[in-house]
Each structure stands twice: as C-alpha cells, then as structure tokens.
Amino acid sequence: MDEEQSELGVREKGILALERRGFPGPGAKERAIREELGLAPVRYYQLLNALLDDPRALAHDPVTVNRLRRIRERRRADR
C-alpha cells in the first residue's frame, strides 16, 4: 500500500485532535473548527462522519473513534 494511502492527512489528524478536546461552552467548538482547521462546521461534521468509517482513523486514535461511533449509533437508534 502507498504511504499516502496508509496514513491520515494533516486535516484528518486535526479533526480527531479537536474531537479529543473538551470545550467550555456553546460556540467554542465551532469557533475552534473555523480558526484552527479553516472549515465551516457543517463541512467539519461531514468529514468527521466519513472519518469514523475510515480504518486509518481507527488505527490512529481508537479511543476517540470508538467513542464517537458509539455516540453516532445511539443517536441513530433514537431516531
């Protein structure tokens, strides 16, 4: 496998790093998404959702990915 295909990119690693952090109040996370990653929150969440299904993300940060997968599944079940 090609090296670029086996590793997450800087943006993907940044998304996972942001998800590991806690945020003090409403709007703080969205502000960090814009300032640190240069993404609109809607685009960020689209990328994050795709990342949760990426085996490279699971290999890079299994604790965060599995926590977010559980949250996603719980929300889907509640619908």
Side-chain angles (χ1 to χ4, degrees), residues 53-65:
D53 297 321
D54 188 330
R56 297 171 306 159
L58 184 61
H60 176 74
D61 191 346
V63 173
T64 301
V65 171

Side-chain angles (χ1 to χ4, degrees):
M1 186 183 286
D2 189 302
E3 183 66 27
E4 288 178 26
Q5 291 177 327
S6 65
E7 287 237 354
L8 290 176
V10 173
R11 181 169 67 178
E12 290 84 2
K13 288 179 181 177
I15 289 170
L16 291 173
L18 201 86
E19 284 300 316
R20 280 193 299 271
R21 292 171 29 199
F23 292 93
K29 183 175 184 178
E30 284 71 18
R31 193 165 38 256
I33 290 167
R34 284 191 180 93
E35 291 173 2
E36 296 173 28
L37 300 175
L39 293 169
V42 170
R43 182 67 181 138
Y44 170 85
Y45 287 110
Q46 290 171 337
L47 293 168
L48 175 61
N49 195 44
L51 204 48
L52 295 183
D53 297 321
D54 188 330
R56 297 171 306 159
L58 184 61
H60 176 74
D61 191 346
V63 173
T64 301
V65 171
N66 282 323
R67 177 178 58 84
L68 294 170
R69 283 179 175 179
R70 283 192 302 272
I71 292 168
R72 181 175 69 176
E73 290 308 313
R74 209 174 308 129
R75 288 183 179 152
R76 285 180 178 168
D78 289 345
R79 285 186 200 154

